[in-house]
Amino acid sequence: MLVYSHTDCLLKDNGFNHPERKERLDSILESIKQIEDIKINFKEAPFVDMDTISLVHPKKHIEKIFSNIPKSGLIGVENEPYADTMLCTNSKNAILRSCGAGIAAADDLMNNNKRIFCAIRPPGHHAETTKAMGFCFINNIAVTARYLQKRYKINKIAIIDFDVHHGNGTQEIFYNDETVAYGSSHEFPLFPGTGSEQETGVGNIFNAPLKAGVQGKEFLKIFEQKVLNPIDKFKPEVILISAGFDAHTRDPLANINLESKDFYKITKKIVDLGNVHSEGRIISFLEGGYDLLALSESIKEHFLALEI
Ligand SMILES: [Zn+2]
């Protein structure tokens, strides 16, 4: 297993009492290092370049975000009720490396590394083409998908998102694109408000909204029916995972009741699909997850299943 990360990703500060904090990544990296049964190679995430970002986001939009980075303190990027997507002095490097991890991982993936995890922050799945929101600036997984298509001529990519929040950004970016299938399980209604089953794109969007209180067994059933079965029919050549661990019962931002071991079962089902259709090629990206114990336990389960 290959893991991309960088100390720059620990330097992004969102202010006092913000759930998206550096300790999340500390907890994940510490836990990964304790896994004895899997040989893990750590690599430093490089910066992504502007041309690659522009496969998804207009350069002007990204330059505007960077031009707002404060010389000290914090500044929010949103003009909406959820004004909690913050820029600090160290944001630029963290943002560029989070996306760069995916690009480097894509190169490794096509060079015979079958399983790669990007241990990064800020996350990406809420970032739309021209809108930073939900702690996200660049949609890391979307840029990686576009890069795989352009550089390696991959025709069909599936993005599977089990973060408890709907990946509105990823959905928006690929809404009219039949070459990318997007399947998401998420609590509904919940931030960001999108993700109903009626949002189907051009037959490439598969949303599985979940009621608050859902437990592991029901989650897996719905996930299989509404996300995995259609993606099985799609037959992706590569699978990308938006791995958020905030559907855990301990998570403070949502109300789905998964246990840590459920992340093994979810991941195993994705891996089974990847082994059938995608030559086992899977890159997983850290998205959300805000309880440190849940993160440290769940990431181990995710890795154990990815190794199969
Ligand atoms: Zn989330």
Coordinates of all heavy atoms in Angstrom, one line a residue, residues 125-126 163-165 244 246 287-290, ligand 1:
H125 N -14.5 17.1 -1.6 CA -15.7 16.7 -2.3 C -16.8 17.8 -2.3 O -17.8 17.6 -3.1 CB -16.2 15.3 -1.9 CG -16.9 15.2 -0.6 ND1 -17.8 14.3 -0.3 CD2 -16.7 16.0 0.5 CE1 -18.2 14.5 1.0 NE2 -17.6 15.5 1.5
H126 N -16.8 18.8 -1.5 CA -17.8 19.9 -1.5 C -17.4 21.0 -2.5 O -18.2 21.8 -2.8 CB -18.0 20.5 -0.2 CG -18.6 19.5 0.8 ND1 -19.8 18.9 0.6 CD2 -18.2 19.1 2.1 CE1 -20.1 18.1 1.6 NE2 -19.1 18.2 2.5
D163 N -18.6 9.3 2.5 CA -18.6 10.3 3.5 C -20.1 10.6 3.8 O -21.0 10.4 3.0 CB -18.0 11.6 2.9 CG -17.9 12.7 3.9 OD1 -18.9 13.4 4.2 OD2 -16.7 13.0 4.4
V164 N -20.4 11.0 5.1 CA -21.8 11.1 5.5 C -22.5 12.3 4.9 O -23.7 12.4 4.9 CB -21.9 11.2 7.0 CG1 -21.6 12.6 7.6 CG2 -23.2 10.7 7.6
H165 N -21.7 13.2 4.3 CA -22.2 14.4 3.6 C -22.2 14.1 2.1 O -21.3 13.4 1.6 CB -21.4 15.6 3.9 CG -21.3 15.9 5.3 ND1 -20.3 15.6 6.1 CD2 -22.2 16.5 6.2 CE1 -20.5 16.0 7.4 NE2 -21.7 16.6 7.4
G244 N -14.8 9.4 3.6 CA -15.1 10.2 4.8 C -15.5 9.2 5.9 O -16.2 8.2 5.6
D246 N -17.2 10.1 8.7 CA -18.2 10.8 9.6 C -19.6 10.2 9.6 O -20.4 10.7 10.3 CB -18.3 12.3 9.2 CG -18.2 12.5 7.7 OD1 -18.3 11.6 6.9 OD2 -18.1 13.7 7.3
E287 N -11.7 12.3 3.1 CA -12.6 13.5 3.1 C -12.8 13.9 4.5 O -12.0 14.4 5.2 CB -13.9 13.2 2.3 CG -13.6 12.8 0.8 CD -13.4 13.9 -0.1 OE1 -13.3 15.1 0.3 OE2 -13.2 13.7 -1.3
G288 N -14.1 13.6 5.0 CA -14.4 14.0 6.4 C -14.2 13.0 7.4 O -13.6 11.9 7.2
G289 N -14.7 13.2 8.6 CA -14.5 12.4 9.8 C -13.9 13.2 10.9 O -12.8 13.8 10.7
Y290 N -14.7 13.4 12.0 CA -14.3 14.5 12.9 C -14.2 14.0 14.4 O -13.9 14.8 15.3 CB -15.3 15.6 12.8 CG -15.4 16.1 11.4 CD1 -16.3 15.6 10.5 CD2 -14.4 16.9 10.9 CE1 -16.3 16.0 9.1 CE2 -14.3 17.3 9.6 CZ -15.3 16.9 8.7 OH -15.2 17.2 7.4
Ligands
ZN1 ZN -18.4 14.7 5.6

